[in-house]
Amino acid sequence: MRFDGVIPEDAPDPRLEQARRLELMPIPVMGLVPQPSLEDPDMVGIQYGQDSRGYNEMSASITYTLWRNPADRSDPINLAELDEQTRRSIEDIPPWPRPVWLVEGVQRMRYPQLWEAVRTTWHRDPSERSSPARVLAEHMNHILINRYRRDWPGGIAWDRFAGDARRPPTNREAAVRIDGVEVQGVEIDTDPLVCGVGASLGRGGVVTAVLPRDELGYIRIEFAKRR
């Protein structure tokens, strides 16, 4: 039971429900290959669309914690730059007990998060919108609007990359490694804040990654099936 916004100590971990929903995905969910600088805390964003025939599209987005110095997690280089409001929300401990998963999530806010960095997208019916270039553009637009609005001079247009399907975004072909195999994919490398890569998975699936330029030196961009 929950009173006045207080989550009880025995509240179930929402990641359990997310895991059950992921079972609906018709294709494997992808992530970046395991590497010391990235931690996957099971933070998965799930979206889907339906019509009279059932699910017609689904996506699963993976968020990572970034460790700039994974050999020493106490190194201050690992800390994120926090505004005062976020810092207070971490340091102010309420007088009531909280679920372990909630405490862990709050403490994780101290470190940089690659929010929804890797997305697996499935479309039941092929169309222009299901192409790797279009899926990558929509993913990049989503990241910019939700995470970088304040950083973009003059603001970010809602359709900066997604735009009109008749005018595809600026992209180029790029080699992408998936499960150890190099495939032909696409890259959008024209934004000063983030860069993106994507490739087809077959069976209506596309994998995309949108990553901050400032952190690329810590990340190996290679995909594998997530556990």
Side-chain angles (χ1 to χ4, degrees), residues 144-166:
L144 286 170
I145 288 169
N146 288 280
R147 306 301 287 187
Y148 292 94
R149 183 184 299 274
R150 295 180 180 177
D151 300 325
W152 187 261
I156 297 175
W158 284 97
D159 61 352
R160 172 168 174 75
F161 285 102
D164 188 332
R166 294 169 298 180

Side-chain angles (χ1 to χ4, degrees), residues 68-82:
R68 300 187 182 103
N69 181 5
D72 181 7
R73 292 194 172 187
S74 64
D75 188 338
I77 195 176
N78 287 316
L79 296 174
E81 294 185 13
L82 304 176

Side-chain angles (χ1 to χ4, degrees), residues 78-182:
N78 287 316
L79 296 174
E81 294 185 13
L82 304 176
D83 57 40
E84 186 59 31
Q85 181 179 355
T86 303
R87 193 180 307 277
R88 284 200 306 269
S89 68
I90 295 173
E91 296 175 350
D92 291 348
I93 301 176
W96 53 81
R98 295 176 293 174
V100 172
W101 56 265
L102 179 59
V103 175
E104 292 175 348
V106 171
Q107 292 304 311
R108 196 178 299 118
M109 293 167 61
R110 298 180 183 273
Y111 308 103
Q113 305 296 308
L114 304 180
W115 183 76
E116 298 198 1
V118 177
R119 176 184 286 183
T120 304
T121 302
W122 169 80
H123 286 93
R124 184 188 63 202
D125 305 313
S127 68
E128 170 64 25
R129 188 164 171 265
S130 66
S131 70
R134 183 55 50 184
V135 172
L136 176 57
E138 291 183 354
H139 186 187
M140 182 172 280
N141 206 49
H142 175 70
I143 297 295
L144 286 170
I145 288 169
N146 288 280
R147 306 301 287 187
Y148 292 94
R149 183 184 299 274
R150 295 180 180 177
D151 300 325
W152 187 261
I156 297 175
W158 284 97
D159 61 352
R160 172 168 174 75
F161 285 102
D164 188 332
R166 294 169 298 180
R167 296 182 296 153
T170 302
N171 61 71
R172 62 185 182 186
E173 293 185 351
V176 179
R177 290 188 68 82
I178 301 176
D179 287 331
V181 178
E182 189 171 286

